[in-house]
Amino acid sequence: AQSVTQLGSHVSVSEGALVLLRCNYSSSVPPYLFWYVQYPNQGLQLLLKYTTGATLVKGINGFEAEFKKSETSFHLTKPSAHMSDAAEYFCAVSQGGSQGNLIFGKGTKLSVKP
Amino acid sequence: EADIYQTPRYLVIGTGKKITLECSQTMGHDKMYWYQQDPGMELHLIHYSYGVNSTEKGDLSSESTVSRIRTEHFPLTLESARPSHTSQYLCASSVPGLAINEQFFGPGTRLTVL
C-alpha cells in the first residue's frame, strides 16, 4: 500500500533563504506524485506533479521537486523564499489506477521570517 | 470558466441542526471527493463518488452522508450537527479514467457547531 511521510511538521526560513520541504513515499508501483499548497482558509492548489519522464519537475511560484526513485523521495525546493510562500504544503501519491485515490502526507507548515 | 465551488464558505450553527454543504464543479469530472480537515492538520477522506448514483465511504468514518444525483453536484449532509463536527470540509474532483488521479479542490467550508 502506498504511504507518504513528510519530515517536519513545521519549517521556518528567512526571506531569501532556500526552502526545502521533504517528502518520502512508499509505493509498489511507479508512483504519480504531487505537491499541493494551502493558504489559510482556502482549498488546496496544485504546485507541481510528477508523472513520467523528466525527474526534475518545475511548478508554479518558482518551486520545483525532484523525483528520486532510489531514495523514494520527492522533496520540494525553492531557491529563495518569499513572504508570500508562507502556507501549508502537502505531498501526495496516487494509489494508481482509475479507481484509486490520492494518499496525502500530514503536511508541513512553512513560515517565512522577514 | 471551469471550476469547483463550495457554499457556504463559513457556517456557524447550533447543535442538533441539519446542514447541507454544497459542492459543484463545471469541469465535467466524474469522480468527486469530500475531505475533513481540522485546523493545521492532515486531510482525511470521508466520502467519494465515481459518478452519478455512486457513493463510497472514505478512510475516516463520518456521520455525514452524501448523494450524487447529478454529475456536477455532490452535496454533504449532517442530519444533526454536533460540536465534534466542527472542522473544515474540502470538496475535490478528478479527471475521469486516468491513473494519475490529480485532484482539483474547492475553497472549502469552515463549519463551526456551537
Side-chain angles (χ1 to χ4, degrees):
Chain A
Q2 283 87 348
S3 66
V4 175
T5 301
Q6 290 185 239
L7 293 176
S9 59
H10 194 177
V11 171
S12 181
V13 300
S14 298
E15 190 172 21
L18 171 71
V19 175
L20 171 60
L21 305 183
R22 300 177 187 274
C23 173
N24 288 89
Y25 69 91
S26 67
S27 176
S28 57
V29 298
Y32 299 116
L33 296 159
F34 306 83
W35 275 100
Y36 284 87
V37 61
Q38 184 181 33
Y39 299 101
N41 296 316
Q42 294 193 24
L44 275 66
Q45 178 184 4
L46 183 68
L47 269 179
L48 49 80
K49 62 187 177 187
Y50 170 78
T51 55
T52 57
T55 56
L56 182 62
V57 180
K58 294 187 183 300
I60 62 172
N61 302 338
F63 284 93
E64 62 183 34
E66 186 171 10
F67 169 61
K68 291 188 176 181
K69 184 177 179 180
S70 60
E71 298 177 8
T72 61
S73 68
F74 191 56
H75 302 330
L76 181 71
T77 61
K78 181 174 180 178
S80 177
H82 192 272
M83 295 296 290
S84 61
D85 294 327
E88 189 91 22
Y89 292 80
F90 291 92
C91 182
V93 62
S94 174
Q95 286 183 310
S98 59
Q99 306 299 308
N101 295 323
L102 287 184
I103 306 298
F104 285 90
K106 294 187 176 184
T108 298
K109 184 175 182 179
L110 176 66
S111 299
V112 182
K113 299 174 290 186
Chain B
E1 179 181 340
D3 211 337
I4 182 164
Y5 306 93
Q6 290 187 244
T7 57
R9 290 293 319 279
Y10 302 91
L11 179 62
V12 180
I13 201 163
T15 297
K17 300 292 185 182
K18 178 180 179 179
I19 60 169
T20 296
L21 308 185
E22 302 287 350
C23 176
S24 295
Q25 49 94 6
T26 58
M27 294 181 283
H29 292 168
D30 284 327
K31 199 167 181 185
M32 296 187 72
Y33 313 77
W34 276 104
Y35 291 88
Q36 184 175 341
Q37 182 187 31
D38 292 331
M41 302 292 284
E42 62 197 289
L43 286 80
H44 294 287
L45 180 65
I46 52 175
H47 299 283
Y48 60 100
S49 166
Y50 291 112
V52 172
N53 294 325
S54 158
T55 60
E56 304 286 342
K57 291 189 180 297
D59 305 320
L60 180 69
S61 175
S62 174
E63 295 170 345
S64 59
T65 59
V66 292
S67 62
R68 192 84 183 276
I69 299 172
R70 304 198 318 261
T71 298
E72 63 273 19
H73 196 212
F74 191 40
L76 180 145
T77 298
L78 279 165
E79 291 292 334
S80 180
R82 296 207 301 268
S84 61
H85 296 140
T86 294
S87 190
Q88 172 152 266
Y89 292 85
L90 295 170
C91 180
S93 68
S94 61
V95 179
L98 296 181
I100 185 172
N101 292 316
E102 176 182 346
Q103 293 182 17
F104 299 82
F105 283 80
T109 294
R110 182 165 295 282
L111 172 65
T112 302
V113 184
L114 304 175

